[in-house]
Amino acid sequence: MASSTPDYPYFAPRYVLASVAVSIGGLLNGFDTGSIGAITRMSQFTDSIDQLSATMLGITVSMIMLTGTLPSLFAGHFADKFGRLAVIIPGVLFFGTGALLQCLAHNLGMFIAGRAIAGFGQGIFLSNVSVYICEIAPLRHRGALAGLPQFMSTAGVCFGYFTCYGTVTIKSDIAWRFPYIVQCAFCIILVWSCLLLPDSPRWLMLKGRQADARQALMKLDYPMVEAERDFLATPEQPLGLSMRQSFMLLFRRGYRARTILALFILGMVQLSGIDAVVYYAPILFEQAGISSTNASFLASGLSSILMLAISVPAFLLADKWGRRTSAISGGIILASCMFLMGSLYAAGVVHPYGFARWIVIISVFVFGLCYCSTWGIVGKIYASEIQPSHTRAAASCVAMGLCFGTNFVVAIVTPILLEASAFGAYFLFGGLALGTVAVLYAYMPETRGRSLESIQEAFHRPTALSGGVAQLLRPLGLSAGPRRRVHPAPHEPAAGEEVEMQPRDAAEAIAASAISVDTVPMALRLDVSA
């Protein structure tokens, strides 16, 4: 057996280098996010394409998310069938084709078509990047490495802003076309990297290819002792499900709670308003009183630098601070920032002069910093690591599909809301963030410091809400022992066991869905057996 502490031929273990390489996918996502808002504000763009109304601006910016929603739903099935890297590569090629089309566009229709193709590719590769890293990262480094795509996305936002800031003074249309040349270059690098990397060892084990899995582990410098303990000694049997069955399995007993929690987290992370901040930062700063184009671009760039700076310690310390603590505390700060800005605009005290505008500008900075150090890091890590191996890709991709859908909604409605009301959008996003905190407090188990194979046990325990409610009801005599119902332990498929995909009979379905008054305290638990 290979030593658990090998002499690495490079400055870091190769699982780290592989994680950095595939995280270029996150950089692509962030670069587009950081550049599109600035590009559409350039006079060179309006001269080449057209002046965009608030509605058309929202459609143009959000098209990349709309077309990314559908492929995200089935990308996980193909990743389970053909491998994580085998799906990432064609997705990146689609994205590069879309970037090239945007670069060569001479009218709005061609530009939007390019964004649609890029979004289709992004929907295919983006969620599988996180799945691949999550599966090749050892336990003690999983939080930091699985957070790399989000860190690279933040770096991409910063890079995108300053690429546009550097080209805005160019008089020709190359000012807005150059960022798409950069995107095409990154696509080439990412495809080349994926061709050199080994497949996920966990996916290879799921396919029964143990020899290939061991070879991949050695190529990645993965600790063999940990691999033997966690998944080599107990290989899982592939389920061989169709696309429809893979999707339906996510919502079957034993998987439903984890799927819904992943969907909720990734969806609400985007509905916090972060895309409004990064896509439309120049507009937000102009609204706050920074009127010149160069000044608003510079303020947006400064915001992205600070977001990148805070992301460095955030992803390095991702395994030092609990996922649950980070999510809840971050949500409270995000909601507070939104409510503060909304209140100032509602009071009519924000002007191009005076102290209030600086509170708004600082609040935008604080919001971005808090998101990048909490929700931005935790969301994608948590959604991937809480899934069993045979549903991890499918569940992560479906959750990413919802993420794209919510991104689309935020991107398309934000300019319309800002044009109709100076404060409505802030109260909306603040309320959503605060509601998310309440749900996470009730139903989010901690996963830090646990192997992927043992995390599932956290979902078989009572949550904070169920215990708290039971204590409150006990003095009233509403949580007496005879009223408690004992639930069987959640069942997960064993090796070689078939998964029943047919509906249960009507009587069983009605019995399973019935909730009596006597079982209310138990119903408040995160119980995957119901």
Side-chain angles (χ1 to χ4, degrees):
M1 180 181 296
S3 172
S4 60
T5 56
D7 295 327
Y8 304 126
Y10 304 102
F11 61 89
R14 281 175 285 197
Y15 59 78
V16 174
L17 302 182
S19 300
V20 172
V22 297
S23 293
I24 295 175
L27 184 71
L28 284 171
N29 170 256
F31 189 91
D32 179 82
T33 301
S35 61
I36 184 60
I39 286 172
T40 54
R41 301 292 291 177
M42 289 184 184
S43 60
Q44 299 92 325
F45 178 82
T46 57
D47 292 340
S48 301
I49 303 298
D50 200 358
Q51 181 69 45
L52 305 181
S53 65
T55 301
M56 189 53 66
L57 174 62
I59 293 173
T60 302
V61 171
S62 63
M63 183 56 66
I64 196 168
M65 278 82 75
L66 177 63
T67 56
T69 303
L70 181 61
S72 292
L73 300 179
F74 59 76
H77 170 75
F78 289 117
D80 285 335
K81 187 173 183 178
F82 301 110
R84 317 315 190 199
L85 297 177
V87 172
I88 292 175
I89 291 174
V92 176
L93 292 176
F94 271 111
F95 186 92
T97 302
L100 182 61
L101 197 59
Q102 291 172 83
C103 179
L104 300 176
H106 291 283
N107 56 67
L108 184 59
M110 185 176 178
F111 187 80
I112 293 178
R115 292 192 64 73
I117 295 173
F120 185 85
Q122 189 171 248
I124 294 174
F125 77 77
L126 193 57
S127 56
N128 282 304
V129 165
S130 297
V131 172
Y132 179 79
I133 295 176
C134 195
E135 292 184 342
I136 68 169
L139 170 62
R140 67 192 184 100
H141 298 304
R142 191 178 67 241
L145 294 179
L148 261 177
Q150 180 60 38
F151 171 76
M152 295 289 274
S153 180
T154 306
V157 170
C158 182
F159 190 22
Y161 274 139
F162 278 97
T163 299
C164 293
Y165 181 73
T167 62
V168 70
T169 56
I170 300 175
K171 302 301 180 182
S172 68
D173 58 359
I174 195 66
W176 67 267
R177 297 185 192 277
F178 181 75
Y180 294 106
I181 298 175
V182 176
Q183 288 186 36
C184 292
F186 280 130
C187 288
I188 294 172
I189 295 172
L190 180 53
V191 169
W192 176 73
S193 299
C194 290
L195 292 173
L196 299 179
L197 294 175
D199 263 313
S200 160
R202 282 182 165 92
W203 176 80
L204 292 169
M205 286 296 295
L206 196 61
K207 292 298 180 181
R209 297 163 56 183
Q210 189 172 88
D212 291 336
R214 289 182 178 276
Q215 187 176 11
L217 288 167
M218 289 187 288
K219 288 182 178 179
L220 293 167
D221 297 327
Y222 193 99
M224 293 300 293
V225 172
E226 180 178 326
E228 290 283 359
R229 181 192 67 215
D230 290 340
F231 61 93
L232 285 181
T234 55
E236 295 189 61
Q237 185 72 19
L239 300 180
L241 304 178
S242 68
M243 185 184 301
R244 176 184 172 278
Q245 290 173 329
S246 295
F247 181 82
M248 295 301 295
L249 179 62
L250 300 178
F251 298 95
R252 297 283 293 177
R253 181 175 60 187
Y255 303 94
R256 185 186 308 125
R258 284 164 282 195
T259 301
I260 292 175
L261 186 58
L263 290 172
F264 178 82
I265 288 176
L266 284 186
M268 297 308 294
V269 158
Q270 303 307 317
L271 289 177
S272 67
I274 185 60
D275 286 307
V277 171
V278 295
Y279 277 125
Y280 302 113
I283 297 177
L284 297 180
F285 288 123
E286 287 179 17
Q287 188 184 52
I290 301 179
S291 57
S292 74
T293 301
N294 283 352
S296 64
F297 276 22
L298 186 58
S300 302
L302 176 60
S303 173
S304 66
I305 288 178
L306 294 176
M307 289 163 64
L308 176 60
I310 197 67
S311 294
V312 175
F315 100 89
L316 290 177
L317 299 175
D319 285 316
K320 305 296 182 182
W321 200 17
R323 318 282 200 251
R324 177 182 166 86
T325 303
S326 179
I328 293 173
S329 59
I332 293 173
I333 298 174
L334 295 177
S336 300
C337 289
M338 284 296 180
F339 285 137
L340 176 59
M341 290 187 284
S343 299
L344 291 173
Y345 278 113
V349 297
V350 181
H351 306 290
Y353 53 86
F355 188 68
R357 68 166 180 161
W358 292 110
I359 296 180
V360 171
I361 292 170
I362 291 172
S363 296
V364 172
F365 287 163
V366 172
F367 182 92
L369 294 175
C370 179
Y371 176 87
C372 289
S373 59
T374 57
W375 281 18
I377 296 290
V378 170
K380 292 183 176 65
I381 296 176
Y382 196 83
S384 293
E385 67 184 4
I386 64 175
Q387 307 299 331
S389 60
H390 49 272
T391 64
R392 183 172 297 120
S396 297
C397 288
V398 170
M400 185 60 69
L402 179 63
C403 181
F404 276 118
T406 52
N407 275 348
F408 169 74
V409 172
V410 172
I412 198 170
V413 304
T414 296
I416 299 173
L417 289 175
L418 292 175
E419 186 177 59
S421 168
F423 57 85
Y426 297 100
F427 284 127
L428 173 63
F429 294 135
L432 291 171
L434 194 60
T436 302
V437 169
V439 174
L440 295 183
Y441 175 80
Y443 298 112
M444 182 181 184
E446 181 57 70
T447 59
R448 181 179 66 90
R450 300 176 66 91
S451 70
L452 294 178
E453 287 69 28
S454 67
I455 281 175
Q456 315 313 317
E457 299 173 11
F459 285 84
H460 307 337
R461 301 174 181 173
T463 59
L465 182 63
S466 61
V469 170
Q471 290 179 1
L472 291 174
L473 296 180
R474 190 174 294 114
L476 303 177
L478 298 178
S479 58
R483 292 189 175 187
R484 295 182 180 269
R485 176 181 296 176
V486 178
H487 292 260
H491 174 71
E492 294 196 13
E497 182 181 353
E498 295 183 358
V499 177
E500 179 195 1
M501 298 301 298
Q502 298 300 323
R504 296 171 294 183
D505 59 77
E508 183 185 355
I510 293 173
S513 62
I515 301 177
S516 67
V517 175
D518 294 338
T519 61
V520 168
M522 291 298 290
L524 292 173
R525 300 188 179 195
L526 179 63
D527 191 344
V528 297
S529 66

